[in-house]
Amino acid sequence: MTLNLKKLIVTEGNMTHMNKWLNVIIVSLMTTGVLIAQTGDLKLLDWQPVSQMVVKETKIVKAKFPVIDIHSHLGKLENTATYLEEMDKAGVWKCVSLDGRSKDNFYKEHLKVSQSVSKDRFLIFFRPDVSKINEPNFGVNEAKKLEEAVKLGARGLKIWKNLGLGVKDTSGKLITVDDPRMDPIWAKCGELGIPVEIHIADPSAFFTPLDKYNERYDELGSHPDWSFFGDDYPSKEELLDARNRVIKKHPNTIFIGAHFGALPENLQVVGEWLDTYPNFYVDIDARISELGRQPYTARRFFLKYQDRILFGTDTPCNAEAYRLYFRFLETDDEYIDPTPAHKLQGRWMIYGLSLPDEVLEKVYNKNALKIFDRFKG
């Protein structure tokens, strides 16, 4: 359609004629596919695009092999029976709760309630109260408390990111991950033959400026307190270097790097750590969004380090969340939305790894069992 724009010259007497031609222009632009500028003001935080991709979607109700979820949070004890029901729906054999807090002796109640629901399906990890690190004999005292917890049934230790990013000494300086006052606790874990699930640092984007280049901008926009960029915090590299010094210093203790060693954005470096530290493992919890956007590299990594990777979710037991993890690991499905497995972690889709059965079984349970078999109780 060709428009004669000369006819659209506005004069006092031809407004009706002009309006008619404006309508013609609008219809013409819409029918010929020309983009009409949006008049609304949609915020990125509110944008929820619906994919038009039509791809294969494999439904997996239960995993191919019994599953041990090495990383979950089951501290809402009133939901313990529900957690077990969700595990049964998805074929999850055992689940580790990392909420056995030393503070206020909560670990005792956690062990009691979990064991009353099932004697062998839940494993509780003890979490030392690092906020007390400035107290005299902190490390020795918490190590003794850990030993008592193990006698009651605890089977591991959990360290959270407040070590390095939150807890401060008496001068107001952040406590480092390799603070020597923690040494008695690390050593006690090796002596007892229990693993340390260690969460140090956070996604790399959380340590970069919150600007237009930040790939987790909308997530951090919703949770600005998750940003650790600036002079008030150590760099991510400093945190991970300190953690690695601990791993090296305590070779008889098994360390499980939560969130794929805290660096799923750079699998080459994670592989170098695994090559360097034989007592270091990683779990996949809450990081399939990172692994699944690099499926070729991730699959090669799983094949090479199949004896050092553990299954975990970081999500209280939920059958649908589990099934999304199974789909990621077992199928070659494309363009999977990972958000329901945990939460929004980046505006991208992921791709399945289609791992061979031998590798799947190790990730699902064999590697975890190998670690738990070190228990000396």
Side-chain angles (χ1 to χ4, degrees), residues 102-359:
S102 170
K103 185 178 181 181
D104 300 325
N105 291 325
F106 178 76
Y107 71 93
K108 293 182 179 180
E109 183 67 13
H110 199 342
L111 284 163
K112 179 181 178 181
V113 172
S114 296
Q115 291 170 356
S116 71
V117 174
S118 176
K119 293 186 180 299
D120 60 356
R121 300 287 296 281
F122 298 107
L123 299 170
I124 312 304
F125 279 22
F126 178 82
R127 183 188 293 187
D129 187 1
V130 296
S131 69
K132 295 183 177 181
I133 197 168
N134 293 302
E135 296 182 2
N137 300 316
F138 160 79
V140 173
N141 292 338
E142 282 295 295
K144 288 180 179 178
K145 203 170 183 180
L146 166 63
E147 195 164 14
E148 294 170 1
V150 169
K151 289 178 181 178
L152 292 175
R155 289 297 176 265
L157 183 89
K158 168 61 190 300
I159 295 296
W160 193 51
K161 64 183 179 183
N162 62 336
L163 182 62
L165 284 173
V167 181
K168 298 181 179 180
D169 62 20
T170 54
S171 69
K173 184 180 179 181
L174 286 169
I175 301 291
T176 62
V177 178
D178 59 346
D179 189 293
R181 288 171 288 186
M182 292 290 298
D183 282 339
I185 301 174
W186 311 130
K188 180 60 69 173
C189 290
E191 178 186 326
L192 297 171
I194 61 172
V196 176
E197 175 83 20
I198 185 166
H199 175 181
I200 298 300
D202 259 343
S204 296
F206 291 11
F207 292 84
T208 61
L210 186 55
D211 57 20
K212 66 180 182 180
Y213 302 108
N214 193 307
E215 66 176 356
R216 306 280 279 265
Y217 179 86
D218 43 355
E219 183 183 5
L220 289 170
S222 298
H223 303 279
D225 55 312
W226 291 357
S227 175
F228 299 111
F229 174 74
D231 295 336
D232 292 337
Y233 302 101
S235 68
K236 182 170 181 176
E237 291 74 16
E238 290 174 310
L239 291 165
L240 295 177
D241 286 346
R243 180 203 63 188
N244 291 346
R245 287 193 292 270
V246 171
I247 296 171
K248 181 179 180 180
K249 188 176 182 179
H250 297 273
N252 295 323
T253 300
I254 296 295
F255 292 87
I256 303 169
H259 308 303
F260 225 75
L263 199 61
E265 302 93 338
N266 192 335
L267 295 186
Q268 179 179 341
V269 172
V270 178
E272 291 170 359
W273 293 338
L274 293 175
D275 292 337
T276 302
Y277 309 112
N279 58 326
F280 186 54
Y281 291 72
V282 296
D283 68 27
I284 68 173
D285 70 284
R287 292 300 180 268
I288 63 173
S289 59
E290 297 289 356
L291 298 170
R293 63 170 170 163
Q294 48 180 329
Y296 303 131
T297 300
R299 191 177 194 277
R300 288 193 295 268
F301 190 98
F302 272 73
L303 296 180
K304 181 176 181 179
Y305 296 105
Q306 59 187 268
D307 298 315
R308 310 281 288 283
I309 304 171
L310 307 174
F311 181 91
T313 60
D314 198 24
T315 303
C317 306
N318 178 284
E320 290 307 312
Y322 281 130
R323 288 164 182 161
L324 204 152
Y325 273 81
F326 303 158
R327 184 183 174 199
F328 164 66
L329 293 170
E330 296 185 22
T331 80
D332 62 355
D333 285 4
E334 300 173 292
Y335 219 69
I336 304 168
D337 181 3
T339 304
H342 191 58
K343 59 180 176 61
L344 174 67
Q345 292 187 291
R347 259 184 214 284
W348 53 77
M349 300 296 166
I350 66 172
Y351 301 80
L353 300 187
S354 188
L355 296 174
D357 287 356
E358 179 183 4
V359 178

Side-chain angles (χ1 to χ4, degrees), residues 14-50:
N14 70 353
M15 286 298 294
T16 301
H17 188 67
M18 184 191 75
N19 288 337
K20 182 184 73 172
W21 277 103
L22 282 175
N23 288 334
V24 171
I25 292 173
I26 293 171
V27 172
S28 175
L29 290 175
M30 292 176 66
T31 57
T32 56
V34 178
L35 182 65
I36 302 299
Q38 190 174 331
T39 58
D41 184 21
L42 179 66
K43 296 179 180 179
L44 177 60
L45 293 176
D46 298 327
W47 185 47
Q48 297 179 343
V50 176

